[in-house]
Amino acid sequence: MTFDWQTISACLYELDPMQTSCQENDCIDEYHFVAKHIVKNIEQGLMPSRAIYLSVMQLFDEEMAKSVDVDELARIIRSKGCSANV
């Protein structure tokens, strides 16, 4: 399965797992860099949940990475059915 950063960014924007208030501020590009980082990790052979965890840890911090349900986020991205019910 291939992952494109635009889909991941859209999911992250909708779910806002890092609580950046991107929707309230209309910052649709808020997660572009994070999504590209996640795709890069996946392309290097990491499983999506691990790629998400490492990206959040590297771009934010370890505490934030531990607070994100990366398995659920990876499942949502895989299904491309972004839903804020997470």
Side-chain angles (χ1 to χ4, degrees), residues 56-72:
V56 173
M57 189 173 72
Q58 291 170 345
L59 301 174
F60 294 89
D61 61 31
E62 187 173 0
E63 186 176 319
M64 182 65 75
K66 288 179 180 178
S67 73
V68 174
D69 186 345
V70 295
D71 292 327
E72 181 66 7

Side-chain angles (χ1 to χ4, degrees), residues 29-51:
D29 64 345
E30 182 82 17
Y31 284 106
H32 284 6
F33 185 74
V34 178
K36 289 176 183 179
H37 201 272
I38 291 168
V39 169
K40 179 182 166 194
N41 283 336
I42 291 171
E43 288 173 345
Q44 292 178 350
L46 295 177
M47 297 299 294
S49 57
R50 185 70 179 150

